[in-house]
Amino acid sequence: MKSRTSSLPATFVVDKEQRLIRMPDALIATTAPASKVNLLGMTRAQLESFFTEIGEKKFRAQQVMKWIHHQGVRDFQEMTNLGKALRDRLSQTAEITPPIIDSQQDSADGTRKWAIKVAGGGLVEAVLIPEGDRATLCVSSQVGCSLDCKFCSTGKQGFQRDLTAAEIIGQVWLAIDSYDGWQAGKGRVVTNVVMMGMGEPLLNFDNVVSSLELMCDDLAYGLSKRKVTLSTSGVVPALDQLADLSDVSLAISLHAPNDAIRDQIVPINKRYPIAKLLSSARAYIDVQTDKKRVVTIEYTLLAGVNDQVEHARELAQLLDGYPCKINLIPFNDFPNSGFKRPSGNAVSRFWKVLMEAGFIVTVRTTRGDDIDAACGQLVGEVNDRTKRSARYRAQYEETDTVEG
Ligand code: SAH
Ligand code: SF4
């Protein structure tokens, strides 16, 4: 074991996006002192190796994780089960830094939305949607998105950068902190998480996987894998890899009953068409030990594009025998979107065809309408000087539809 010293050996540094990187040994002696290491986004294994690297016992990781994620403590001096020398050393070399809240809005229906400022000047948002004794947090994974789905305002903003694991899990931390929800007995502020905010989670793979791990780790947020849902538009190779690393619930953004339509509205379909996506998603749930699991199929209804009865019939055929439930999302309009929300009747007709074909179908309900609480919305307002801003209304799944 390495001897304890008053400062961290410079084997770890954080890059400009706060990712922890190991310095090649050859560089250690000649490199200026590293900036502080942010422990917030580190998984149990990462924190254990962090402590091992500085000559401490692994179990320090468990103690520190509980302080960070159970107690909301950011000041190492408050971590009373660590010795004074270690507390001092951590204070000098490490930090627990959540992202900064730019603004917060509360809806009359209890939905709360945060615009979060991230390093480099970008904004992302997180939304907490209470529902009876549950509360679902919608979390962002990237600043913007590169996939350019035609009906998505985040896609129209383009891609700025990936969020770090600290910035992703930091959204959960912030939500709990915002309600002063750290004390035992207060009940859980966040009971479910959906990765349905800004960005394509599978394009920020490592940071998302680390964050999912923290969401489910008992030493962090301890959520059941059924209550954490990753939504993807279909980055198939990444989805194939995910099965080895995670077992959270899966939602796929299908939005079309055939490749011809999907090619038009979800450009990544040209690379990974529907058949490949469905089979990758099926493989993901097939390796899970829980055999009752299904894939949530997200289907945004766009008037005149994919909302006709014939599309519903084709979708029913496509998904015949597929282990899924279907979540219909009436399109949330925004200026110059080029799309229209279907009428209530059109939504009902579509829903009925699928119901009669024997599917479990839900229609996503609008929440936080008065505060424009859709992922990407506020960010659109702030960033968008041309008023191209997102106006798609918060339409979040009822928690029972994402839980499985
Ligand atoms: N990038 C991921 C997760 C974020 S988007 C994905 O695409 O799955 C979350 C969901 O909202 C996706 O199903 C997405 O297609 C849908 N969505 C995006 N813009 C929308 C809009 N304007 N109206 C309705 N649903 C929208
Ligand atoms: Fe990106 Fe998802 Fe929007 Fe497509 S729908 S542009 S993948 S955030």
Side-chain angles (χ1 to χ4, degrees):
M1 197 208 296
K2 287 179 192 163
S3 63
R4 292 182 190 205
T5 55
S6 60
S7 65
L8 278 171
T11 39
F12 287 99
V13 292
V14 275
D15 67 9
K16 64 182 190 317
E17 292 180 1
Q18 295 189 303
R19 282 185 291 238
L20 182 70
I21 48 176
R22 188 186 293 267
M23 295 284 287
D25 284 346
L27 289 179
I28 291 171
T30 55
T31 308
S35 54
K36 288 185 174 181
V37 176
N38 191 356
L39 306 188
L40 179 64
M42 284 194 194
T43 61
R44 190 191 291 222
Q46 286 167 337
L47 210 49
E48 282 176 352
S49 40
F50 168 83
F51 279 105
T52 310
E53 288 286 333
I54 64 166
E56 289 287 338
K57 289 258 167 51
K58 271 187 181 177
F59 76 89
R60 295 290 179 204
Q62 306 190 6
Q63 292 176 318
V64 169
M65 280 181 80
K66 284 186 188 168
W67 285 112
I68 300 174
H69 303 289
H70 291 180
Q71 307 289 329
V73 168
R74 292 183 53 193
D75 182 351
F76 294 109
Q77 297 303 334
E78 288 175 33
M79 301 185 179
T80 46
N81 54 358
L82 307 183
K84 176 86 171 81
L86 179 57
R87 296 204 304 259
D88 288 347
R89 188 175 177 194
L90 290 173
S91 303
Q92 282 160 17
T93 54
E95 62 186 0
I96 297 150
T97 305
I100 297 157
I101 296 176
D102 185 74
S103 63
Q104 175 182 307
Q105 282 178 279
D106 283 300
S107 159
D109 70 11
T111 300
R112 182 174 284 188
K113 178 175 73 167
W114 299 269
I116 291 167
K117 203 179 266 178
V118 292
L123 285 168
V124 292
E125 66 181 23
V127 182
L128 187 71
I129 309 115
E131 189 77 56
D133 57 356
R134 293 181 286 199
T136 301
L137 183 70
C138 178
V139 167
S140 294
S141 57
Q142 297 183 308
V143 189
C145 182
S146 59
L147 292 185
D148 197 24
C149 301
K150 299 304 173 199
F151 52 86
C152 172
S153 70
T154 302
K156 292 206 169 192
Q157 289 175 20
F159 173 69
Q160 280 187 50
R161 72 166 173 88
D162 286 336
L163 294 182
T164 62
E167 288 165 339
I168 299 171
I169 203 67
Q171 295 169 59
V172 182
W173 194 98
L174 281 179
I176 297 171
D177 197 57
S178 162
Y179 283 90
D180 194 18
W182 300 113
Q183 290 124 335
K186 275 206 151 194
R188 286 200 151 183
V189 173
V190 176
T191 62
N192 297 59
V193 175
V194 291
M195 300 245 24
M196 294 184 185
M198 291 176 77
E200 168 49 54
L202 292 183
L203 287 180
N204 183 11
F205 194 80
D206 292 345
N207 293 330
V208 164
V209 168
S210 296
S211 305
L212 296 173
E213 203 176 311
L214 283 168
M215 288 169 201
C216 297
D217 191 330
D218 285 341
L219 290 176
Y221 300 97
L223 297 175
S224 125
K225 60 195 180 183
R226 296 169 70 88
K227 296 188 174 185
V228 175
T229 302
L230 179 140
S231 170
T232 179
S233 61
V235 188
V236 166
L239 182 53
D240 290 342
Q241 279 180 39
L242 187 70
D244 295 333
L245 300 164
S246 186
D247 55 2
V248 298
S249 300
L250 178 66
I252 59 174
S253 292
L254 190 64
H255 309 316
N258 60 50
D259 286 322
I261 296 178
R262 196 163 191 265
D263 279 351
Q264 300 301 313
I265 54 178
V266 182
I268 198 177
N269 192 66
K270 292 179 192 144
R271 186 119 185 229
Y272 307 114
I274 290 175
K276 283 209 165 95
L277 174 56
L278 288 178
S279 98
S280 172
R282 184 171 199 150
Y284 177 85
I285 60 158
D286 277 353
V287 298
Q288 316 285 329
T289 44
D290 175 359
K291 292 299 167 207
K292 283 192 204 137
R293 298 187 87 183
V294 295
V295 177
T296 299
I297 304 286
E298 293 167 281
Y299 194 103
T300 295
L301 288 162
L302 305 160
V305 175
N306 64 359
D307 68 334
Q308 304 298 299
V309 164
E310 78 235 32
H311 298 134
R313 291 199 187 111
E314 198 179 351
L315 183 64
Q317 243 169 20
L318 176 73
L319 297 176
D320 187 26
Y322 194 79
C324 66
K325 60 194 173 192
I326 302 169
N327 189 219
L328 301 175
I329 316 167
F331 172 62
N332 299 296
D333 203 5
F334 54 90
N336 305 323
S337 70
F339 293 98
K340 283 208 178 81
R341 187 188 181 102
S343 68
N345 277 347
V347 174
S348 299
R349 275 197 299 272
F350 201 94
W351 174 82
K352 196 159 171 262
V353 172
L354 295 170
M355 286 289 286
E356 286 174 359
F359 291 93
I360 298 169
V361 194
T362 50
V363 179
R364 205 174 283 188
T365 51
T366 303
R367 295 294 306 267
D369 213 17
D370 51 338
I371 57 165
D372 288 343
C375 293
Q377 225 165 25
L378 180 75
V379 170
E381 271 178 17
V382 173
N383 278 347
D384 179 19
R385 297 190 184 89
T386 64
K387 296 279 175 226
R388 182 192 62 181
S389 64
R391 276 293 174 274
Y392 64 88
R393 297 282 179 255
Q395 309 257 324
Y396 294 99
E397 298 181 74
E398 301 297 337
T399 37
D400 61 351
T401 67
V402 294
E403 262 188 310

